[in-house]
Structure formats: C-alpha cells, structure tokens
Amino acid sequence: MVGFPREVHAGWLTQLLTYPGRLDVSLHVEPIDASTAASRLKKQLARLESGRRHTAEHGRLSDPHVEAATEDAYDLSSRVARGEGKLFRVGLYLTIHAASEKSLTDEVAAVRSLCASLLLDAKHTTYRSLQGWVSTLPLGLDLIGLRRTFDTTALAAAFPFTSPDLPAPDPASAAAPAGVLYGYNIGSQGLVHWDQFGVGMHNHNSVVLGRSGAGKSYLVKLELLRSLYRGVEIAVIDPEDEYARLAAAVGGTYVHLGATGVRLNPFDLPIQTRADGRRTAPKDALVRRSLFLHTVISVLLGAELEAAERAALDQAIASTYENAGITADTRTWTRPSPTLVSLRDELAHAGETGDTAAAELAARLHPFVDGSFKQLFDGPSSVTPEGHLIVFSLRDLPEELKAIGTLLVLDALWRRVSNPAIRRQRLVVVDEAWLLMRERSGAEFLLRMAKASRRHWAGLKIITQDESDLLSTQLGLAVVANAATQILLRQAPQAIDEVTRAFNLSAGERAFLLSADRGQGLLSAGTQRVAFQSIASPTEHYLVTSSPAELAAYGDTADADDSSGFVDLGFGDET
C-alpha cells in the first residue's frame, strides 16, 4: 500500500480480513525512538512551511493537500512533544491466491477495488514478487521496506485485527478443520466448523435457545447427523416425534414412551456390565437410588415435599427395598427391583399406623399406580436402549407425565454414559428442556448431569424455546454457565432483554438476533462469537425438515409405529 486515507475509523482494516477470497494481510510495525521522531517532524514542518511561504510570496493559490499536511504535522508534533503519542513506521502488504492465472486477475481487480473503497492505493510489487510474498508470511520479515509513518492513534485504529471466523485449533496446521459443519459464516462467507469435544474445551455441553420456528430442531438434527459420521454415540429425548425419520435413515433405536408395554422403573439399581462380563455397581448405589427416588416423587407430584413428607418417603423407600430382598449387601442388588405400587403400599401401610404425611403421599400417588397415568410405572423396566442413535419419544405421554418421562430417560441414559467399561464420545440431547426445568428437582438433576458429563467424555445439549424457564432462575443460569458452546437463534422481542443480560450481547448482536432469518444464529464459544447460516444438502434436508407442507409432499410414513412401542426401521437387527 503506497497511499492511505487522511482519516479512518476504528477497525477500518477489518474489511480486508472479511474478503471472501483467500487473502493474506501482513502489517509490519516498527517503533521510532522519540529523538528521531522529533528530528524528522522538525524537518518535515520546515519543508511544509517553506513551501507554503514560497507559494504565498509568488501570489499563487495554496495547495489544499499541503495545507492539510501542515496542520496534521503541527498537531502531531505537539502531541509527540507532550508525550501523548509516538511514531511508528508501518508497512501494509497483501498476497492474493487463486487457482489459475485468469481467476487471479479477477481476484486482483476485486481486491484493488476494495482497497480503493477504503482510500488505499494498492500497487503491484513489480519485479519483487518473491520479496512481497515472503513479507506476508508469518516470519516477521519485511523485504519490501515500503513504510508509512503512523502515530499511536492512527495505528490503534487498525487494531484489533478481529476476524469473523472462528480460530483454528492449530493456526499453523494445513489440515482440514475438525468438528461439525454448522453452516457458512454470514460475515466472511467462510465455513463454520466447531468441535464441542475439542481438547481445549472446558466441557462438552451446549445450549440452543431460540423462538418457535427459528430452526432449532433443524440445526440440531443436522449436527447430530454429521456427528454420527465422526463416531459420536447420540441419545435424544424427543417430545414431538421430530427425530423419527432421521433415526430410520441411520438405523437407530426409537422408543415410544407411553405405548403399551413400554416402561421405565425408577427403582432399578445402576448395575453395570464390565468388559469381562461381570456385573458391578458403585458401593453407594442403593443410597444414590434412594435419593434419586426423592427427586422422582417431587417431579411426579409437581411440588417440593415438606420435611414430614420427605421423612415418611425415605422410610417407605427403605422398607420397599427390604421387602424386595434388597439390602446394603451388594450380593442382593441383582434381585428384581420393586415398583412404584410397592412404594405406594408401604406409604399406605404407614398411614394406617397414624402417619398422616405417608397417607397423604399414598393418596397423591394413586393416579400413577392405579389410575389414568399408570402405564409408565405398572411393572418392571421393559426398555434396554442400545445403539449408535437412541431416540426416546414422549409424544404419546400425557402432558402430566412428560416431565417425569424426561427425568427417567435421562437417568437411564446416565447409567449408560457413566459405565466405565465403555469409553467413547457421547452426546445426550434434551429437546424442549423447559419441560424439566420448570420443576426445581428436575432442574437440579439436569445441573448435576451437566457438571459430571465431562468426566465421562459426554456432552449434554439442551434445546428450549422458553428462555424464561432457563434464564429466570439460578439453576437455569447455572446450566447455561456449564455449557461451553452456546447457540442463539432468532429471539422474541419480549425475551431479548433477558437474553442480552445473560449472554452479555453487544448492540449489534442484539439487533442481529431480533432480525435473523430462519436458520441464522450466533455461535458463542468462550470469547469467540460468529454469526452463521445453517446449510443442508437435499438428502439431509429430507431427513431433518419438520415442515408439515414438505412432509405431506414427501408422503412421509416413517413415524408409523406398531403397538409394541418400537419402530421397525428395516436396518438389520437393531430396532
């Protein structure tokens, strides 16, 4: 660059970094010591002033460029003399890459036009192309030596060199980016890859927030499909049967909770099978299961238990296990587990002896044991999910049971994730997490799972359209804080203030989320943020779309299930 504008704004060179082609930008900065700066400014002022006087003595019109340069030189000299700034020699060089000579000519013309719009005068390094190329390599060598004097303010306006693209894990590596393709960068038209299982990540959790229709499930299904290519084992809690067609395409396991014969027994102890075939369990498995049952009953009843109720429930749980032959002796833990009806009977028996809290709990458990909501608890567990993709559908569950269904599924998945005999990357997806977050006990369980997932090489992905349930409570904010990857899609005006405070959004990011199109979002990972547009191939779009009009056009029948609660996917033995 041989010509620069007189006035610039902060970050004015950023447009060079957002150029959609391959362009290397090199800025060489060399400080000038104070004595040399003062001497050169004095000589420059003398030349400019003598030129002005010579022009005035001969009655000629003054040159506006000389007048402006003289004013700037006086201002700069006074600031340097007062110690308010320093001088630097700055060289700016660009290297343009292309696949052929013709395309290179087009790229050069485009870059020179961009420079002209910034009032930069770009010239070819004629006969010095090698020196120019070396000067733009990350070597710190300036073989061109074509410098322009900048003061501190002018140099600061060129920094920071912020790029809209996410930094590569190893900037010196020429390898393909790792992770999952989310889409293309809205700012630079580059591709956005992100690996939430990366080595430098504090945890592998993520959270996806957006209003209804913003494209949350579409984006997550794309991410899951591309994660399967990388060998990640995935489990999904699906409230609306949106993942059935994806599971069918990849030969996944699909379980319909609420269908006849599909049950999850919360009394099952976490027995794990080791690599040598032996069945083991943690030494405190019975205690932990008893504590988990307190959470189950709280979510089931939709209210926090009083102290008397918790005491009665704790005693009834212990009696229920003892009556089933399960004690502190680990050899008894492989015996058949009791069920919810056994707990209700123990509470009812305690109520007959005068314990009013136990009698009240027994009465409140009646709908889930003998009433309309018993299908999920009226027997031992009938589901042992296995496979590279496991989807639990909650659509057939009544609204009153969706929260407890989510909790029981998370518990079953956590047993699989925490099995030390099997170590692999796992991702647990909770769609519409507000179903569980609105219950304090459920939110506490989700938070404990978010904190412990990293130790088992697992990530928890939370998706919700109701930001208030996630951001209005301390537990919800803690869940967000334990997510190293955060994705924000279009937000409603009523929720944008809360989202802005929680994620510390700038004014530009706030405006972007209010006007983002479907599929556009903001990927936040630590200090890095990038705006992206999700993209999918036609085949991927067919598998992940949930548009009723498109599904009707496809004649979709993939979510038809039989009475067993399992979908026959037609991909081998795994169903």
Side-chain angles (χ1 to χ4, degrees):
M1 296 299 157
V2 297
F4 291 84
R6 183 189 178 200
E7 295 182 358
V8 294
H9 56 82
W12 64 286
L13 290 179
T14 304
Q15 295 188 49
L16 293 177
L17 298 177
T18 59
Y19 180 73
R22 184 181 175 188
L23 178 67
D24 296 338
V25 182
S26 178
L27 189 70
H28 294 264
V29 180
E30 179 186 351
I32 303 176
D33 63 272
S35 60
T36 303
S39 174
R40 291 188 178 182
L41 280 174
K42 185 177 180 180
K43 292 180 180 179
Q44 183 68 12
L45 281 172
R47 284 195 295 265
L48 292 171
E49 193 61 42
S50 64
R52 291 177 59 189
R53 292 181 181 181
H54 182 270
T55 300
E57 289 174 357
H58 289 76
R60 299 172 184 170
L61 292 176
S62 59
D63 187 346
H65 294 288
V66 174
E67 294 290 334
T70 304
E71 293 177 8
D72 292 342
Y74 273 114
D75 179 62
L76 180 58
S77 178
S78 62
R79 283 190 282 116
V80 170
R82 292 194 300 267
E84 296 177 358
K86 295 182 179 181
L87 295 185
F88 302 86
R89 283 188 289 264
V90 178
L92 179 60
Y93 313 112
L94 309 179
T95 294
I96 306 169
H97 299 257
S100 64
E101 185 176 354
K102 182 179 182 303
S103 59
L104 180 62
T105 302
D106 297 336
E107 290 290 332
V108 168
V111 171
R112 295 191 70 175
S113 298
L114 175 60
C115 293
S117 68
L118 298 175
L119 301 181
L120 290 170
D121 189 8
K123 299 294 184 182
H124 291 289
T125 53
T126 308
Y127 302 116
R128 302 185 68 190
S129 299
L130 176 61
Q131 290 84 349
W133 176 61
V134 172
S135 298
T136 56
L137 293 177
L139 302 175
L141 299 177
D142 183 5
L143 303 185
I144 298 295
L146 187 59
R147 306 291 185 87
R148 172 72 179 265
T149 301
F150 279 32
D151 68 328
T152 304
T153 305
L155 181 60
F159 287 87
F161 262 165
T162 56
S163 170
D165 291 312
L166 292 172
D170 183 6
S173 174
V180 172
L181 172 66
Y182 280 85
Y184 66 84
N185 192 318
I186 295 177
S188 68
Q189 303 302 307
L191 298 179
V192 177
H193 288 83
W194 185 249
D195 184 8
Q196 67 184 73
F197 290 95
V199 177
M201 300 298 293
H202 298 294
N203 59 66
H204 311 312
N205 304 327
S206 59
V207 60
V208 182
L209 301 181
R211 65 183 299 178
S212 178
K216 300 184 301 298
S217 297
Y218 189 96
L219 173 65
V220 171
K221 282 182 279 188
L222 276 177
E223 180 184 355
L224 300 189
L225 183 60
R226 293 163 181 172
S227 296
L228 289 172
Y229 297 146
R230 304 179 59 219
V232 180
E233 183 181 297
I234 300 172
V236 182
I237 300 178
D238 180 11
E240 297 295 339
D241 267 6
E242 294 188 44
Y243 296 79
R245 299 166 65 250
L246 176 61
V250 301
T253 303
Y254 205 81
V255 182
H256 263 125
L257 292 183
T260 304
V262 179
R263 299 181 298 272
L264 289 174
N265 184 14
F267 285 82
D268 289 341
L269 293 174
I271 306 297
Q272 299 169 342
T273 303
R274 296 172 50 178
D276 57 4
R278 296 175 56 190
R279 303 181 68 190
T280 61
K283 295 181 179 180
D284 58 348
L286 185 59
V287 176
R288 288 179 177 270
R289 185 55 29 176
S290 299
L291 295 174
F292 173 71
L293 286 168
H294 282 267
T295 302
V296 169
I297 300 302
S298 296
V299 174
L300 197 61
L301 301 180
E304 291 294 317
L305 301 180
E306 301 292 339
E309 292 175 330
R310 293 183 69 87
L313 177 61
D314 191 69
Q315 185 175 358
I317 291 172
S319 300
T320 301
Y321 274 114
E322 288 178 4
N323 293 337
I326 299 176
T327 64
D329 187 354
T330 57
R331 293 174 297 179
T332 65
W333 291 359
T334 56
R335 294 174 179 174
S337 301
T339 59
L340 192 63
V341 65
S342 304
L343 177 63
R344 192 280 311 269
D345 292 342
E346 286 294 329
L347 289 169
H349 178 69
E352 293 173 357
T353 62
D355 190 340
T356 56
E360 177 67 18
L361 284 176
R364 295 171 68 181
L365 287 177
H366 172 77
F368 308 102
V369 175
D370 300 317
S372 306
F373 305 137
K374 69 175 184 178
Q375 68 269 24
L376 194 60
F377 311 100
D378 60 351
S381 297
S382 61
V383 176
T384 306
E386 298 286 344
H388 54 280
L389 175 62
I390 309 169
V391 179
F392 287 87
S393 171
L394 307 182
R395 186 181 66 177
D396 294 338
L397 284 179
E399 289 296 327
E400 295 79 1
L401 292 182
K402 286 192 175 180
I404 187 62
T406 302
L407 179 63
L408 294 180
V409 169
L410 282 174
D411 175 63
L413 294 176
W414 181 248
R415 299 184 202 178
R416 182 175 177 84
V417 166
S418 60
N419 187 354
I422 306 175
R423 293 294 185 186
R424 63 168 64 101
Q425 291 180 350
R426 289 188 174 97
L427 188 62
V428 178
V429 180
V430 186
D431 206 342
E432 301 300 347
W434 61 270
L435 292 169
L436 193 58
M437 291 299 299
R438 61 188 177 184
E439 306 289 346
R440 179 175 178 83
S441 299
E444 290 175 347
F445 181 86
L446 206 61
L447 177 58
R448 290 195 299 269
M449 189 172 179
K451 289 183 175 180
S453 293
R454 188 181 186 277
R455 294 197 297 269
H456 302 283
W457 206 11
L460 179 65
K461 180 176 288 293
I462 296 174
I463 312 167
T464 184
Q465 65 182 13
D466 198 341
E467 293 87 349
S468 59
D469 283 328
L470 194 63
L471 303 179
S472 61
T473 64
Q474 293 298 323
L475 288 173
L477 290 174
V479 170
V480 172
N482 279 275
T485 303
Q486 301 159 350
I487 300 176
L488 304 177
L489 303 181
R490 180 166 183 169
Q491 302 295 319
Q494 297 81 1
I496 190 63
D497 291 335
E498 199 167 20
V499 173
T500 300
R501 287 192 300 270
F503 294 93
N504 195 24
L505 300 179
S506 65
E509 292 167 342
R510 173 192 171 103
F512 169 73
L513 293 180
L514 283 173
S515 60
D517 293 334
R518 179 175 298 179
Q520 291 184 349
L522 190 67
L523 173 63
S524 175
T527 59
Q528 303 295 329
R529 290 182 178 176
V530 59
F532 69 94
Q533 168 71 57
S534 59
I535 52 175
S537 67
T539 302
E540 289 175 325
H541 179 77
Y542 168 77
L543 295 177
V544 304
T545 184
S546 56
S547 170
E550 292 181 349
L551 294 180
Y554 293 147
D556 178 57
T557 58
D559 58 350
D561 61 296
D562 56 20
S563 59
S564 66
F566 294 87
V567 180
D568 185 2
L569 303 176
F571 287 86
D573 298 332
E574 207 169 72
T575 58

